[in-house]
Amino acid sequence: MVRSAGHAKFSLRAAARAVGVDAAAAYRHFANKDALLAAVASSAFAELARRMETGMAESDDPVERFVATGRAYVQFAIDEPALFRTAFGPRAAERIKTEGVGAQGRNPYELLLDSLSDIRDRLGVDLEPETAALPAWAAMHGLAHLIVDGNLASDPKDVTDGVVHTILRGLGVHRASE
């Protein structure tokens, strides 16, 4: 229902009707609409984490693994705009660092930190993952919103890769091929 109507138009009563139970039954499982949407957000974070894990598993190279996190983030927003908006809706800051784990038991934020730690450790780049995570996350989040809201006419993959590589250069990661 969130996918089709968005979180703003979502109704706990309508969700209860859709699954064939009365509203009172839904309130036995969720205190209110916000509690159910928080569960949907956690599920969305878990899906994002799984996508990030899949992308990261395709390479052992720390730069490629970092690129994969950005690609997965933006592609998730493109594929699931309503879930993306729900996940990063009200009180997202309370959930982003703790909820929605993937198959490896890591949430999207932890996977980003893992990727940045890998760059630091394996490439000898002087960076603090916790400090670098916020600008990296903010850049990808802003880009994802620009794309989902129809404000960029560029190819999403090309622009995503461009932003990720700009972040990497800002972190001091330079490759001979760049």
Side-chain angles (χ1 to χ4, degrees), residues 56-91:
M56 292 171 75
E58 292 177 4
S59 176
D60 189 44
D61 179 81
V63 170
E64 286 304 312
R65 290 169 58 82
F66 180 78
V67 171
T69 66
R71 286 178 181 161
Y73 193 97
V74 171
Q75 194 61 51
F76 175 74
I78 292 168
D79 293 345
E80 299 285 359
L83 291 180
F84 176 76
R85 287 186 175 105
T86 300
F88 292 101
R91 290 180 289 290

Side-chain angles (χ1 to χ4, degrees), residues 39-158:
V40 171
S42 184
S43 177
F45 282 134
E47 174 61 23
L48 174 57
R50 286 188 294 275
R51 288 177 182 221
M52 291 171 74
E53 289 169 341
T54 298
M56 292 171 75
E58 292 177 4
S59 176
D60 189 44
D61 179 81
V63 170
E64 286 304 312
R65 290 169 58 82
F66 180 78
V67 171
T69 66
R71 286 178 181 161
Y73 193 97
V74 171
Q75 194 61 51
F76 175 74
I78 292 168
D79 293 345
E80 299 285 359
L83 291 180
F84 176 76
R85 287 186 175 105
T86 300
F88 292 101
R91 290 180 289 290
E94 298 169 11
R95 296 186 295 265
I96 187 66
K97 293 184 179 182
T98 59
E99 294 185 19
V101 300
Q104 299 170 7
R106 311 286 284 162
N107 66 43
Y109 184 76
E110 291 168 325
L111 291 167
L112 173 60
L113 290 177
D114 291 349
S115 177
L116 291 165
S117 295
D118 199 27
I119 287 172
R120 178 197 61 206
D121 298 344
R122 292 181 52 203
L123 299 181
V125 176
D126 183 23
L127 68 86
E128 192 56 46
E130 283 282 348
T131 303
L134 180 60
W137 175 25
M140 299 318 298
H141 189 75
L143 176 61
H145 268 287
L146 287 169
I147 292 170
V148 168
D149 292 342
N151 293 315
L152 287 180
S154 305
D155 175 48
K157 183 183 180 306
D158 290 343

